[in-house]
């Protein structure tokens, strides 16, 4: 039963995320054998199956495997899959790496130095390529990876410069080209932009994190008719603007517009100025994983 399998996988991810003690060696081996093929699309299933398995596998990597085993898995299994010819494998591997990079107290503090270095290097290597992927689901997964990498950089006080070019590529994808995002993938990418902005703000790097380009791209996507009735664009833009009351948001809008060309600045002002009251009501705090 596909629905039952999905439900069990989601529940397993929650258990691996919350259980206080690491799983024993025998359980680790069994879990790895079950989750890795499902996360990488080797057992069929739908996109949601891969995503649930990828999150559970990521929790196994971060909270249960010994660091040397986690690093080996990243090197031998995830790294090749991230550039595989199958979009399903790229998607699953990208979502797994994103979950493994995610940081949020108390369950997911910054990883040990050995694992931190491997995660940072692998994300930096693959993000520029994945954020121009021709497959919409892979592109959305890459946006999630950028958000997770931002959380990793903020938590471990890593240099932010490595994330600026990927953020600019996410902005290009959100604004419509050269790669198009379907509506569902666009919603994921907008949530990712929100998380990225929150992490950049927490690290004190929002002003140097391609925020103007992302803000303009979010505004463009927010006016897309396919996005009507959703709040993701407003939530992302409020976070990119740093939150606050209407007067503070108006100043932030002008500051961001000052870093854009005339056309992009006009798009941002047109979108934001009509929504200052709504933007002021959105939280820009430390959000939980919602992918």
């Amino acid at each position: 039963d596909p629905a039952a399998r999905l439900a069990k996988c989601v529940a397993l991810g929650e258990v691996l995320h919350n259980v206080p003690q690491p799983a024993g060696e025998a359980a680790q081996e069994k879990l790895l054998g079950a989750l890795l093929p499902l996360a990488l699309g080797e057992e069929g299933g739908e996109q949601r199956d891969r995503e649930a398995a990828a999150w559970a596998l990521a929790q196994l990597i971060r909270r249960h495997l010994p660091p040397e085993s986690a690093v080996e898995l990243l090197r031998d299994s995830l790294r090749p899959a991230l550039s595989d010819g199958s979009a399903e494998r790229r998607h699953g591997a990208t979502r797994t790496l994103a979950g493994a990079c995610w940081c949020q107290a108390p369950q997911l503090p910054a990883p040990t130095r050995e694992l931190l270095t491997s995660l940072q290097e692998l994300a930096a290597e693959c993000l520029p390529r994945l954020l121009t992927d021709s497959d919409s689901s892979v592109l959305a997964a890459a946006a999630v990876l950028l958000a997770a990498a931002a959380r990793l950089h903020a938590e471990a006080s890593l240099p932010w410069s490595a994330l600026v070019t990927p953020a600019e590529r996410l902005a290009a994808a959100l604004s419509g080209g050269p790669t198009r995002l379907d509506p569902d993938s666009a919603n994921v990418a907008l949530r990712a932009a929100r998380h990225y902005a929150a992490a950049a703000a927490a690290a004190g790097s929002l002003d140097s994190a391609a925020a103007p380009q992302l803000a303009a791209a979010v505004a463009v996507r927010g006016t897309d008719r396919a996005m009507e009735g959703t709040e993701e664009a407003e939530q992302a833009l409020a976070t990119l603007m740093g939150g606050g009351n209407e007067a503070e948001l108006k100043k932030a809008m002008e500051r961001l517009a000052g870093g854009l060309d005339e056309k992009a600045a006009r798009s941002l002002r047109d979108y934001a100025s009509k929504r200052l009251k709504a933007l002021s009501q959105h939280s820009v705090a430390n959000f939980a994983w919602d992918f």
Side-chain angles (χ1 to χ4, degrees), residues 97 101 117-129 145 149 153 162-163 166:
L97 181 57
C101 286
T117 299
S118 293
L119 290 168
Q120 176 194 8
E121 291 178 351
L122 187 54
E125 173 190 327
C126 70
L127 266 172
R129 179 182 71 253
L145 175 56
H153 278 241
L163 300 180

Side-chain angles (χ1 to χ4, degrees), residues 4-23:
R5 182 175 69 170
L6 175 59
K8 288 179 180 179
C9 203
V10 170
L12 178 58
E14 290 302 307
V15 170
L16 292 172
H17 179 68
N18 290 297
V19 66
Q21 299 298 325

Side-chain angles (χ1 to χ4, degrees), residues 22-34 60 64-66:
E25 186 175 349
Q28 292 173 19
E29 185 174 345
K30 185 177 180 180
L31 287 165
L32 186 58
L60 185 65
H64 299 272
L65 294 180

